[in-house]
Amino acid sequence: MKTNATYFVNDEKEPLRYGEINIINPPRQRLRGEEIKEGVKAVPVFCGFCGTDFELMKMGRRNALTSKFPENEKRLINGHEGVVWYPDENRFAIVLIRGGDSFDPTRFTEDETYFEYGCDKADGLFSDENYFNPDMLLRLPEKYGKCERLPLSIAKRLVFCDPYACAIFQHERMCDIGSAQNFRVVMARDKCDEATARKKAENETFLKTVIYGLGTTGLFIGDQIRRNHPDAEILFVARSGEDSDKVKFVRENIKSDYLSVSELTEKEISEKIIGCFGSPCSCFVGTSGTEIESRIAFEHGVLGCNGIYDSFSLGPKVTFDTMPFGFKNHVILSSINFTQKHMEQAIKILSESRFDELVELIDKDEFISDPIGAYENKIYCKGAPVKTAVIWNKKYIDEDK
């Protein structure tokens, strides 16, 4: 099938292009043991831009994308966040991005395989049409099940399904690790049974939480912690000014504190964080993509004894001195992506949220006329909005709602 799309190639000067290409439809499976199915046609309607897309573009410049291409192809259609129209069932859908020959594609083992639409071995959403495994076209809430034009405000919220599902997965993992890490301490302290201690330890994991970075992943992890642990003290740490829209948003909606560190040294940052809590933190989440995260947590003593460090940044090295690390009983975890359950939870939560307030649009014609320039000068530049998205097919969007 021929269609128009933006797509990545290995090319130093033009790694992202727009034009007509041939869409392939290899049979795929959602999970190991399930039926391998040919994809069904869907129409991308509303697409969001992700930092992963930007990184893939830079990989193309370095001639490092070959392993990401679909089999026998030399290009990858980008995009993994958004809403599609599924003509065969006359409904909108969210694409479950990750599947493959594995029992849990987010925790695959050495003898298992996976694919990710728009990211790894499978074409994504920035195309006029594409094929997707029918089992991976997730339903919207019932009240949007029969609408023929999706309200723009809902499309903006649902563009966050991928990162919000990641945040649900992160929260789940932190609960698992935090409970296992400290339930014996709680049993000894409170003289209680194991089940009670595990629940207490899980909740106490988040009592004093630092989220270093204020992109979408940090924002949504904070939202998950607030929803599930109302007594948690949450402190966002980032370079944004106090008067920025996203800082105002987290203060109002997540009921968190915020520390702007644009003019501070590492020592000053650490002292201020500890000063905000009155002690070191119990949980440190790194989402800024910089190596300063681990130095603040470990070298400067911001992460307290028995605390957990959730590394959600892609790129920076996490370093620590083994002597204090061991005696302070720290745990580092790093686990990215999500399952279908997490995505379905994200769809439900986001549809009733206010996260559409953080999304700004770029005109489709502006984007496809110069996709590289759009990424570098508007979508991922200084002062860019929290999330940029594009209406890919206006036929299916009600821009007045």
Side-chain angles (χ1 to χ4, degrees):
M1 177 178 71
K2 297 287 187 181
T3 192
N4 290 314
T6 59
Y7 55 96
F8 295 122
V9 296
N10 282 320
D11 189 288
E12 183 179 350
K13 295 182 179 179
E14 196 180 358
L16 178 60
R17 304 172 181 180
Y18 175 78
E20 185 180 72
I21 60 173
N22 184 59
I23 296 288
I24 59 174
N25 187 19
R28 302 184 189 278
Q29 63 187 139
R30 178 177 58 176
L31 295 172
R32 175 166 283 196
E34 294 186 354
E35 181 182 353
I36 299 174
K37 297 183 178 181
E38 284 197 353
V40 295
K41 189 183 295 185
V43 178
V45 172
F46 192 82
C47 305
F49 299 91
C50 175
T52 300
D53 303 331
F54 194 33
E55 183 59 34
L56 289 170
M57 187 178 80
K58 291 185 281 189
M59 289 176 66
R61 281 200 171 115
R62 303 194 304 269
N63 196 39
L65 274 181
T66 302
S67 65
K68 301 291 185 181
F69 295 148
E71 188 174 0
N72 299 321
E73 297 293 328
K74 295 182 179 180
R75 87 298 169 278
L76 172 70
I77 297 175
N78 58 308
H80 55 279
E81 299 179 353
V83 184
V84 302
W85 175 256
Y86 181 14
D88 287 357
E89 295 190 358
N90 204 38
R91 65 177 175 89
F92 292 101
I94 299 295
V95 180
L96 177 63
I97 297 303
R98 181 177 273 221
D101 185 21
S102 51
F103 294 113
D104 179 351
T106 69
R107 306 280 293 281
F108 62 92
T109 59
E110 289 76 9
D111 67 332
E112 297 178 330
T113 61
Y114 73 94
F115 67 88
E116 284 185 286
Y117 288 116
C119 297
D120 209 329
K121 305 178 186 70
D123 288 324
L125 301 183
F126 280 97
S127 58
D128 291 347
E129 294 179 297
N130 206 346
Y131 295 105
F132 303 98
N133 183 308
D135 296 333
M136 299 174 71
L137 293 173
L138 306 184
R139 292 184 178 275
L140 271 58
E142 186 175 352
K143 63 181 176 181
Y144 304 112
K146 295 183 179 180
C147 68
E148 296 181 352
R149 299 181 73 212
L150 191 66
L152 178 59
S153 61
I154 300 302
K156 285 183 173 181
R157 296 170 195 173
L158 294 176
V159 80
F160 288 120
C161 285
D162 182 290
Y164 200 96
C166 284
I168 295 174
F169 182 62
Q170 286 300 298
H171 173 254
E172 181 180 273
R173 292 286 292 143
M174 286 190 284
C175 286
D176 292 345
I177 298 298
S179 175
Q181 163 79 338
N182 287 319
F183 80 91
R184 295 187 186 281
V185 176
V186 175
M187 285 177 66
R189 182 193 70 198
D190 294 354
K191 306 295 188 293
C192 59
D193 61 85
E194 181 175 328
T196 301
R198 283 185 177 274
K199 191 61 182 175
K200 283 187 176 183
E202 175 185 306
N203 195 56
E204 289 179 9
T205 297
F206 305 98
L207 284 181
K208 297 179 179 181
T209 298
V210 171
I211 301 177
Y212 207 100
L214 192 49
T216 53
T217 51
L219 173 66
F220 295 148
I221 290 171
D223 188 67
Q224 268 294 289
I225 293 172
R226 174 57 67 224
R227 288 173 183 269
N228 291 279
H229 309 278
D231 295 329
E233 292 183 63
I234 303 172
L235 175 67
F236 283 93
V237 181
R239 297 180 62 85
S240 300
E242 288 278 355
D243 59 347
S244 70
D245 290 340
K246 58 184 177 181
V247 171
K248 293 176 182 177
F249 188 90
V250 298
R251 286 189 182 278
E252 180 179 350
N253 292 277
I254 302 180
K255 311 302 181 187
S256 66
D257 290 325
Y258 178 74
L259 174 63
S260 177
V261 298
S262 59
E263 304 296 330
L264 302 178
T265 66
E266 291 183 17
K267 184 174 184 295
E268 290 170 334
I269 293 169
S270 304
E271 290 173 348
K272 284 186 176 293
I273 292 174
I274 294 174
C276 287
F277 291 125
S279 66
C281 68
S282 57
C283 177
F284 193 108
V285 185
T287 70
S288 73
T290 64
E291 292 186 14
I292 191 176
E293 298 170 347
S294 65
R295 295 199 297 268
I296 294 293
F298 299 119
E299 291 182 24
H300 295 280
V302 167
L303 184 61
C305 291
N306 307 311
I308 67 170
Y309 183 97
D310 182 10
S311 176
F312 198 79
S313 292
L314 292 175
K317 295 180 179 179
V318 176
T319 58
F320 57 90
D321 184 335
T322 55
M323 181 69 79
F325 179 81
F327 277 96
K328 289 185 177 181
N329 199 40
H330 287 152
V331 168
I332 298 174
L333 67 126
S334 182
S335 193
I336 294 172
N337 283 300
F338 51 83
T339 68
Q340 180 170 333
K341 176 191 71 174
H342 302 123
M343 180 68 93
E344 290 170 339
Q345 291 173 339
I347 293 170
K348 182 178 180 180
I349 291 170
L350 289 168
S351 65
E352 302 296 331
S353 75
R354 292 176 51 189
F355 288 118
D356 54 298
E357 297 173 16
L358 299 175
V359 181
E360 295 186 15
L361 299 180
I362 185 173
D363 182 74
K364 181 183 177 182
D365 289 337
E366 178 185 355
F367 172 58
I368 63 177
S369 66
D370 182 13
I372 294 176
Y375 269 100
E376 294 179 334
N377 303 318
K378 188 165 185 177
I379 301 168
Y380 290 104
C381 63
K382 186 177 182 179
V386 173
K387 174 65 69 176
T388 302
V390 58
I391 301 176
W392 198 260
N393 193 319
K394 293 191 174 185
K395 173 183 174 181
Y396 296 98
I397 294 290
D398 187 342
E399 297 184 54
D400 297 324
K401 293 185 179 179

